[in-house]
Structure formats: structure tokens, C-alpha cells
Amino acid sequence: MYKPNFNQRKALRFHHFSRKGYALFACLGRVVTISVLSVATLTSASAAIDDKGTTEVVTTNDNQTDKEATLDDVEVTGSRAPLALGQAARMVTVLSRDEIQAAPVQSINDLLKYAVGVDVRQRGPIGAQTDISIRGGTSEQITILLNGINICDPQTGHNAFDFPCDLSDIERIEVLEGPAGRVYGTSSLMGAINIVTREPLPQPLPREGRKALVDARIEGGSFGYLSVAGRLSLPSSRVGSLGLGSLGLGSSLSASYTRSDGYSRSKAGSLNSDYSGGKVFYQGQYQQEGLRLNWHAGLSTKGFGSNTFYSAKFDEQYEKTVKINTALQGEITTGNWHFRPAIYWNRNHDRFELIRGSEEKVPFNYHRTDVFGVNLNSYFDWLLGRTAFGAEFRNEDIVSTNLGEELSDPFSHYKVGLNRSNLSFHLEHNVLLKRFTLSAGFIAVKNTWNEMPFKVYPGIDASYRIGTNWKIYASYNSSLRMPSFTELYYSVGGHKADKHLRPEELHALEGGVKFQSNVFNMSASVFHHHARNMIDWVMDTRETDPVWQSVNHTKVNTIGFETNATLTGKRYTLNLAYCYLHQDKDVEDYLQSQYSLEYLRHKLTASLLIHVIKHLDLNVKYRFQDRMGSYTTIDGEVRNYHPYSVVDARLSWNADTYSVYLEGNNLTSKRYVDYGNVPQAGCWFVAGVRFLFH
């Protein structure tokens, strides 16, 4: 994982580069090397003068696939105001594009397994259905973002990671651990994960239009696995000029299809873990001096055998989801003022079949959610630092067969529904000194559900840089999470929901230290979470015919420790990371939990990337997990979760225009479960080839 260099204050920093003949570098008439901090890696740039007197910027980096890198200050997700990684007081873990491309994974969900503070609980492979949480929380308690836009589904967190983009679209993944209420508002109880896609336009814009780039791959493997994907990028700079400087317009389009027969069958002999899905993602960008627009639109559809996902008594369950994500974002710069408006709309269709293809026996569950949002983030620089303020309005609507109140005008499959709106205001100020950064602010939130009044959630982060290698930091943050529609209303199939659930609230303290050098990077942190009204599905095992009930646990206290170390040699990179959690809950022994009473007590990850010879790389990854909690088998036996280890590897031959690779997952064919009664796949091999065309 990328750990940024945090002491770059001695160098003179240029925020903008001009191609005019009177520009500074053009006047120098020579090549100038500038050190800059990139989101994904530390890189460098050279400003050279062509025969027309134009300044061209060329970036160089041995570890980057692209030769372009953003030269502006890096923006991170740890605060409302954009700060360089070296200035940010909040720690953000970044998975770079190089790490993504080199990992032995088939989905974003698989990739996050190696983030030590993240708990990835799979029910199905290839991202069929995955619950992802942070630091002992649940999948409902984190905010999922696509290019900074909240794409959380208020129906349930089970399908939150249905992204419309392919792995080849992703530039980086940012993981913010700990409550982020003042940054992302509701849902960010335990943190946030932001997926950032590659921009169609290079930064800065070149003088002439760039050639189109085609990125294509095909791969196949065990259990009838097949995946094909392609991405076309059409950057075109200088489409015109209206006296406002150079204009830029670019776009990219990607599509993919994936299928698998699955690795298990029902008692009747039918496939019950098969998968079939496709994605289409379009992204556009327009910019001129003082104005920048970004937009995206994506479609994700998939159907998958859900074997015993929701009930151990039925092993031929099936689910199909269709998601649409759209957003338009802008940035207007006027002097020291920056305005960042955004508007978005997300739609999700979900159909669940308890008995696959037999609606006449058991009616299917149908759900459709629509989320519409508008937000404005603004910030300005002045004598005392950088101040950010803004507001967001978000409306969440669902129509369903069983979630919500009775509709006055039912239609199609939908008999019930619910609508709620969330309004929030935020204010934050950042003090930026040579070695010290202080970021403090609050968010005020009001939700129409249950007539919730305005409530304020504050937060403060501070960091201090010691010398050129060390950094210490501390923070206090608070946040909340509104109940999902499923937690409020799902009262069928052995479940009983409570529509009067209260919002979850969390207050957290964290402190840590980071060390950075050219060869060795290290970080360590300790944290304490105090949560109240935590929501969980629990079963009273004393009852003759127990059901799962949604409840608010009064208090949950979590103490944790996390450390990460990376050693980089000439031909290898070794990473070790460990996270320990202990949760203190006042819960009766006879209660069985689905979520918050089950967490990873220990998680250890290790990775070794070896450059064997030129073009040949070997990437080996290992993870050990020890989960607290228990589950009840179909025979009524209560079993504790057992610790397990998994080894994955990828061997790849990487040339300039193509790469060939062989991946192996769960090489020791370890038998394990992330959820009770849902066994995971054994050894799984994938072979593929990828092409790059200009």
C-alpha cells in the first residue's frame, strides 16, 4: 500500500503550469526537474521547451504504468478542504493503480481483502455478494463513493459494491478508517472507501490531441470462469478557445462481461453458486481556465446463485441486481475561492428468489430504490488557513414488495414503499503551518425519518512532522448512521424488523506515528471507539422457534491496534500488516448475531512482489483471519468461527503493449466460511492476457 512522503515543505511548489512563451520555464530555456507528490506514488516531472517555445511536462516513474501524473496538490478524502497528502492530518490508505494491476484478484472486493483494517466477508465469488466493513463494524456502517459521489444503497449494504466500472478503469482506491461524519455525513460511521477512476484527459493538457488508447483483456479459469473487458479512452485537448485559455474535452468508455458456473451444487444437483454479469461505464471531462467539469454514467447488472446466503434451509436461492449510477461534478475557481457543486442520481433494482425460478411456490421479493442528491462544497484560502463550508440534500426512495409502508397507488410488483430526505451543513477550518496541521469542524444533520431533529457531530485532527522522516498524529471524530430500509421493515422469512430503530452514533479517539524513508516505511496506530444504539440482527436461541430481530445494542466499545511496514529493495517489495480488535459488549450469551457481534479479532496480511527478471514479476499474498462469534448449522448445531489462512499468487510477463499472467487463489485449497453455512471456493486458477493499443 502506498504510504506518502509527508515532509516536502522545503521545496518551492508551483500549482499551475502555463504553455505560454512568456512562462517561467520557457524563459529559462532549459529543462527543469520538479519534485511533486502524486496520489499513487512519489514521482518527478521535467519541464522542457519544444521548438515552438512551448513548455511540455513529462513525468517519469519506474513504477507507474502511465507517464502522466497530476502536478497539482494532491486531494485526499480525510477532510472537506482538499489538502496535499503531506499536509493532511487524517491518515488515508491508498491502493495505487500499480498495486491494483499486479494483484491476483478478479474484483474490487477481492482487492480490499489485503487492506488490513478492512473486513471482507464473501458469500459468493467474483464480487457476487460481499459485505465489507472497517474496524469491527458492519457493511451498513461505511460510505461507498465513486469519484467522491456517495453511491450507498439505502435498501441494504449487501450489494453496495456493485460498481459499474472495471478494474482497468480504476486509478486508485482510498480507504479512510474511523468515523467520517463531518466529511461524508450519514453512513460513514466507521469510515469510507472511495473508488477513483482514471481521467480521460491527461494532466496538464498537452499542446496537441492525444491518441486514443485501447485497453483490452480476456481471461478464463476454474469453474467455467470467463471474463472479457475493454476500455477506450479518447482524450482530445484544445477543442477551441474563447479567449479564456485552452479548452479540453475527453471521454472514455469501458465494458466487461464475466461468468462462472460456480463451485457448488444444491442437494438436487443444480448449480447454486453460478454468476453472470456485465458492466458499462462512460466518463467525460471538460476543462478550461477556471472551470472543470466531470461526469460519469454507469450500468452494472448481475445474476448469481445464492445457495444458502439468507437461509440454510434453502440451497437454491437466486438474486439479480441492476444498478445505474450517474453524476455531474464541477469546480469553479475564482482567485482564492473554489466552488465544487455536484448532482447525482442512482437507481437499484433487486429481485430475490428464495426458490430459484419458482415464483408460483414462493413469491419473489422485488425492490427498487432511487437516490437523488445535490451538494455544494466550497473552500477559500486566507491569512489564517483554509476554510471549507457547504451543504448537501439527499433524497432516498424505495418501492418494494415488503419494505416500507403501504402505497396509496401500488403498481407492478410494488405494494409498499418509503421516502426520506437528509439535509446537512458542514463547516471546517484547516491551520497549515510548516510542520503542524490542524483540521477541525462539524456537520449538522437532519433527517425526515422519524422526525429526527438537527444534530451536530464534531471532529478534530492534528499532525506534527518531526524532521524529514517522522510524523505523529491524533484525532477525535464522531459520526452517525441511519438505519437501512431492510433493518426497518424486513419482517418475512424468519425475520422481524423494528421500524422505530434509532440512528447509530460513534465517537472515536485515535493516535499514531508514521516513518518514511526511501527503503523502509512504517506506521502504527491505536484507537478507541465508543458506539451506542448499534444495529444488529440477533436471534434468541432460548426460543422454540427463534427469528432474527433487528435491534439497537445499547453500547459497544472497541479498542484496536494497527501496524503496517514496507521494505523496498532493488528487485522486491515486502509488506507486512496486522490489526487487532477487542470489542466489549453487554450482550447476553443466548443471543446469536449476524453482524456486530462478529468481528475479526486478528488479521495479518503479507505480500511479496519480486521482479524475477526483466518483464517477469511474481506477486504472492497471504492473509490470516481469526473471527469472533458463532453460527447455527442447518442441523441446529452452534459452531464458532475458526481461524484460517489463504495464499494467493500471480505470475505475469509485462511488456509495453501486452501482459500475460497466471493467477492462483486459495492455493492450499483451505476450507473456510466468512458467513456460516456458506462455504467458500477451494483452489481457483485464472489465466489471462491484456493488450494496450495506441
Side-chain angles (χ1 to χ4, degrees):
M1 295 179 189
Y2 169 66
K3 299 296 178 183
N5 192 339
F6 44 75
N7 192 3
Q8 297 287 322
R9 302 284 296 176
K10 295 181 179 180
L12 180 62
R13 176 173 292 164
F14 293 89
H15 297 271
H16 300 283
F17 293 82
S18 173
R19 300 176 184 80
K20 304 299 182 182
Y22 54 81
L24 173 62
F25 296 136
C27 295
L28 291 176
R30 63 184 65 183
V31 173
V32 182
T33 299
I34 309 142
S35 295
V36 299
L37 189 63
S38 169
V39 171
T41 184
L42 190 64
T43 184
S44 64
S46 298
I49 311 302
D50 65 9
D51 57 359
K52 299 180 181 179
T54 302
T55 303
E56 298 291 344
V57 179
V58 181
T59 61
T60 59
N61 187 339
D62 293 337
N63 294 323
Q64 265 189 308
T65 302
D66 284 345
K67 297 301 181 181
E68 298 295 331
T70 301
L71 299 185
D72 293 335
D73 283 350
V74 174
E75 298 178 15
V76 294
T77 59
S79 61
R80 283 284 184 177
L83 299 177
L85 282 173
Q87 294 175 321
R90 190 78 178 266
M91 297 301 102
V92 179
T93 299
V94 178
L95 298 175
S96 71
R97 184 165 168 243
D98 292 330
E99 292 176 281
I100 296 170
Q101 296 295 328
V105 299
Q106 289 79 53
S107 68
I108 297 174
N109 308 355
D110 293 333
L111 187 69
L112 289 168
K113 294 177 183 178
Y114 305 111
V116 70
V118 178
D119 184 6
V120 179
R121 305 183 70 179
Q122 284 191 319
R123 285 187 171 96
I126 327 171
Q129 189 183 92
T130 307
D131 289 354
I132 296 180
S133 58
I134 295 176
R135 289 184 173 177
T138 73
S139 61
E140 305 281 1
Q141 295 169 345
I142 62 174
T143 295
I144 311 301
L145 304 110
L146 179 61
N147 293 322
I149 296 296
N150 188 336
I151 61 171
C152 289
D153 185 358
Q155 176 203 338
T156 176
H158 288 320
N159 298 313
F161 278 78
D162 292 357
F163 292 103
C165 52
D166 184 68
L167 281 172
S168 62
D169 289 308
I170 299 174
E171 179 65 29
R172 66 185 183 273
I173 299 176
E174 302 170 343
V175 181
L176 176 62
E177 299 180 16
R182 81 172 197 267
V183 183
Y184 292 120
T186 58
S187 301
S188 57
L189 193 78
M190 291 291 185
I193 297 176
N194 184 27
I195 308 298
V196 181
T197 58
R198 299 164 62 185
E199 294 185 349
L201 287 176
Q203 299 295 324
L205 290 176
R207 179 177 177 84
E208 304 298 336
R210 285 296 182 96
K211 295 180 180 180
L213 173 66
V214 177
D215 186 344
R217 79 164 189 274
I218 180 171
E219 56 188 26
S222 306
F223 310 112
Y225 172 78
L226 174 67
S227 180
V228 293
R231 181 178 185 270
L232 174 64
S233 179
L234 295 171
S236 176
S237 66
R238 291 199 172 189
V239 299
S241 179
L242 298 176
L244 299 174
S246 297
L247 307 184
L249 178 66
S251 59
S252 64
L253 177 67
S254 69
S256 64
Y257 170 77
T258 303
R259 56 95 57 209
S260 171
D261 293 333
Y263 54 89
S264 64
R265 292 182 177 270
S266 66
K267 293 180 180 179
S270 302
L271 295 170
N272 68 351
S273 62
D274 55 316
Y275 175 95
S276 177
K279 300 178 180 182
V280 178
F281 185 68
Y282 168 74
Q283 186 175 7
Q285 186 177 90
Y286 169 82
Q287 65 184 77
Q288 67 179 47
E289 189 172 331
L291 173 65
R292 183 172 178 176
L293 297 175
N294 293 277
W295 59 91
H296 67 247
L299 171 68
S300 172
T301 177
K302 65 182 181 182
F304 50 93
S306 307
N307 53 72
T308 54
F309 283 14
Y310 302 102
S311 173
K313 298 179 181 179
F314 299 89
D315 62 356
E316 289 189 354
Q317 301 170 53
Y318 181 80
E319 190 162 5
K320 183 176 178 62
T321 64
V322 178
K323 281 197 172 184
I324 301 173
N325 301 105
T326 63
L328 172 62
Q329 304 176 77
E331 180 171 4
I332 303 170
T333 303
T334 304
N336 291 330
W337 286 82
H338 298 259
F339 302 93
R340 294 184 161 188
I343 184 171
Y344 61 91
W345 170 64
N346 304 318
R347 167 169 284 192
N348 178 43
H349 291 268
D350 183 6
R351 184 183 81 241
F352 173 70
E353 306 173 12
L354 185 63
I355 302 177
R356 186 171 184 167
S358 300
E359 190 168 15
E360 66 280 359
K361 295 182 180 179
V362 180
F364 297 165
N365 290 337
Y366 294 89
H367 315 284
R368 191 193 76 190
T369 57
D370 287 278
V371 178
F372 171 78
V374 179
N375 63 58
L376 173 63
N377 293 312
S378 305
Y379 70 93
F380 62 94
D381 296 313
W382 56 303
L383 181 63
L384 298 181
R386 176 170 289 180
T387 301
F389 62 94
E392 178 176 13
F393 173 79
R394 179 181 172 95
N395 181 265
E396 300 173 337
D397 183 86
I398 186 172
V399 288
S400 170
T401 54
N402 50 36
L403 300 179
E405 304 290 346
E406 185 176 349
L407 293 174
S408 58
D409 186 18
F411 63 99
S412 185
H413 306 285
Y414 308 119
K415 311 301 180 185
V416 294
L418 191 69
N419 183 279
R420 67 185 182 189
S421 297
N422 193 82
L423 179 64
S424 64
F425 299 92
H426 65 267
L427 176 65
E428 178 186 86
H429 182 68
N430 297 270
V431 178
L432 308 173
L433 303 179
K434 182 177 180 180
R435 295 187 177 274
F436 176 73
T437 298
L438 178 69
S439 178
F442 66 87
I443 186 170
V445 179
K446 175 181 175 59
N447 196 286
T448 58
W449 169 79
N450 272 0
E451 299 180 351
M452 173 185 170
F454 266 111
K455 298 196 69 174
V456 176
Y457 297 88
I460 182 170
D461 308 309
S463 68
Y464 183 77
R465 293 172 287 278
I466 304 173
T468 59
N469 301 107
W470 291 93
K471 181 177 185 178
I472 57 175
Y473 65 93
S475 67
Y476 163 79
N477 283 285
S478 58
S479 191
L480 78 158
R481 202 268 296 185
M482 305 302 296
S484 69
F485 293 144
T486 298
E487 292 168 329
L488 293 171
Y489 285 97
Y490 191 73
S491 297
V492 296
H495 292 75
K496 183 179 179 180
D498 181 4
K499 67 178 182 180
H500 300 294
L501 290 173
R502 299 181 297 277
E504 299 176 320
E505 295 181 318
L506 180 70
H507 300 266
L509 292 170
E510 181 175 354
V513 60
K514 294 174 69 70
F515 175 84
Q516 177 89 19
S517 71
N518 293 332
V519 177
F520 180 71
N521 304 324
M522 181 275 296
S523 66
S525 63
V526 293
F527 50 89
H528 176 266
H529 294 170
H530 175 70
R532 59 185 180 184
N533 300 330
M534 299 293 277
I535 298 173
D536 192 15
W537 290 92
V538 299
M539 177 187 291
D540 189 340
T541 57
R542 299 173 305 173
E543 298 180 359
T544 304
D545 190 16
V547 296
W548 293 103
Q549 303 179 62
S550 61
V551 298
N552 284 107
H553 288 301
T554 304
K555 295 179 181 179
V556 179
N557 292 300
T558 302
I559 297 176
F561 169 76
E562 187 175 316
T563 185
N564 195 310
T566 302
L567 179 65
T568 303
K570 185 176 181 180
R571 305 192 66 86
Y572 70 89
T573 300
L574 174 65
N575 175 265
L576 295 173
Y578 172 72
C579 183
Y580 169 82
L581 294 175
H582 174 75
Q583 291 188 348
D584 178 18
K585 313 182 193 72
D586 186 16
V587 180
E588 294 79 0
D589 294 336
Y590 53 80
L591 287 181
Q592 184 178 337
S593 164
Q594 282 189 349
Y595 300 120
S596 67
L597 301 184
E598 300 177 357
Y599 65 96
L600 289 180
R601 171 66 62 86
H602 303 280
K603 182 177 180 180
L604 172 68
T605 65
S607 66
L608 176 62
L609 174 61
I610 303 175
H611 303 291
V612 182
I613 59 175
K614 185 179 181 181
H615 300 306
L616 184 63
D617 295 331
L618 175 63
N619 194 357
V620 181
K621 290 185 175 291
Y622 166 86
R623 58 188 171 93
F624 168 81
Q625 298 187 173
D626 184 10
R627 186 178 304 281
M628 303 299 293
S630 61
Y631 63 95
T632 302
T633 68
I634 192 172
D635 299 321
E637 178 186 356
V638 178
R639 293 182 182 177
N640 292 325
Y641 284 99
H642 295 292
Y644 66 86
S645 299
V646 173
V647 179
D648 304 323
R650 173 184 169 113
L651 184 66
S652 59
W653 181 273
N654 303 305
D656 292 337
T657 58
Y658 72 92
S659 63
V660 181
Y661 51 90
L662 176 65
E663 299 176 356
N665 298 104
N666 194 4
L667 292 176
T668 61
S669 203
K670 178 67 177 180
R671 296 176 60 87
Y672 68 97
V673 295
D674 286 329
Y675 277 109
N677 301 303
V678 187
Q680 296 302 295
C683 187
W684 187 313
F685 287 101
V686 172
V689 60
R690 180 186 175 200
F691 299 97
L692 294 173
F693 304 102
H694 287 277

